[in-house]
Amino acid sequence: MSNFFIFAKTLFSVYTLEEVLQRKVEIPVQFHPLQFFPEYLKQGYYPFSSENQNIHIQQIVNLALESDIPQYAGMNVSTGRKLKQLLAIIAKSVPFKPNVSSIAAALNVSRNSVADYCLYIEEAGLIAQLRDDTGGIRGLGKVDKIYLDNTNLIYTLGGEKAEIGNVRETFFFNQMRVNYDVITSSVSDFCIGDCTFEIGGRKKGKKQIEGIPNAFVIKDDIEFASGNILPLWQFGFDY
């Protein structure tokens, strides 16, 4: 959340994941992050003015799908259109559990092409694929879910249909994967190393992580940490 520095017009320290989990995050006196955080999620990720932001983001998306990726991958115009179709499918149902066969049928392409298209769109910074640990090496595991890359894309492409649970998960995933290998959890939302993370709102309980070592509930709409309950906004200071 490095752009949050600009968005909130306040300087913050950078904290590692370990420091966040150890509740070492400090913020300026009388600064209330929840005053700015919801708006940041809507229009603070990209380093340009919020005025006409949706238009600017849509231009970025169109340029990537219609020009950058096709030129890089040697695609024709019709294939570029399929990239737009695929992103539209993902945007309507994120976090998206990919059914490669149904997507291939909808786009009239092979299963292998779907995987290639997703990788291109991911490398263009428009989506992020959450994988499991079966690959053993970063990026080689089976894709479990597909998210839009950041929360601003959710509000631009999803509009009024933006679902807050997805927004929260997307923010956590977007911020943490910069410096850590984030994989899916069989019992919760995410795993990083030996830590398990369940993402939710203020009323989120601990039931899903009961009995799990090194497990944390990450809550939106709270300012301060308590035990293994940590504020979502604090995970934006990793870089």
Side-chain angles (χ1 to χ4, degrees), residues 153-223:
L153 283 173
I154 294 175
Y155 285 102
T156 297
L157 301 180
E160 297 300 320
K161 296 180 180 179
E163 198 274 317
I164 189 60
N166 171 50
V167 171
R168 293 164 177 155
E169 290 182 29
T170 299
F171 173 78
F172 182 90
F173 188 27
N174 171 271
Q175 297 295 305
M176 289 293 96
R177 72 175 188 272
V178 172
N179 290 322
Y180 301 94
D181 290 337
V182 184
I183 62 173
T184 187
S185 167
S186 60
V187 295
S188 194
D189 291 319
F190 303 101
C191 283
I192 300 175
D194 63 351
C195 296
T196 298
F197 300 92
E198 177 70 17
I199 318 297
R202 179 191 292 271
K203 297 182 180 180
K204 187 70 177 181
K206 297 184 178 182
K207 185 175 181 180
Q208 284 184 262
I209 62 169
E210 284 182 0
I212 301 173
N214 299 318
F216 301 87
V217 176
I218 313 304
K219 292 188 178 185
D220 194 8
D221 303 321
I222 64 171
E223 249 184 50

Side-chain angles (χ1 to χ4, degrees), residues 4-95:
F4 193 58
F5 300 166
I6 302 171
F7 191 76
K9 299 179 181 179
T10 304
L11 293 177
F12 302 94
S13 298
V14 173
Y15 295 94
T16 65
L17 175 60
E18 291 72 22
E19 289 172 329
V20 173
L21 298 183
Q22 292 167 10
R23 293 186 286 171
K24 293 185 177 181
V25 174
E26 296 181 356
I27 58 176
V29 177
Q30 297 183 332
F31 176 79
H32 300 287
L34 297 185
Q35 180 181 351
F36 300 95
F37 189 52
E39 196 63 23
Y40 169 84
L41 294 175
K42 293 180 180 179
Q43 54 184 29
Y45 184 80
Y46 293 100
F48 45 67
S49 169
S50 59
E51 184 178 352
N52 297 321
Q53 177 180 260
N54 285 357
I55 295 175
H56 292 317
I57 292 178
Q58 195 64 63
Q59 289 173 340
I60 291 172
V61 171
N62 289 338
L63 180 64
L65 298 179
E66 296 174 359
S67 178
D68 294 344
I69 296 176
Q71 287 184 19
Y72 170 79
M75 297 175 175
N76 56 36
V77 175
S78 62
T79 305
R81 293 195 191 100
K82 293 185 186 299
L83 294 178
K84 294 190 72 172
Q85 287 179 264
L86 176 57
L87 185 63
I89 291 171
I90 294 170
K92 287 178 182 177
S93 54
V94 286

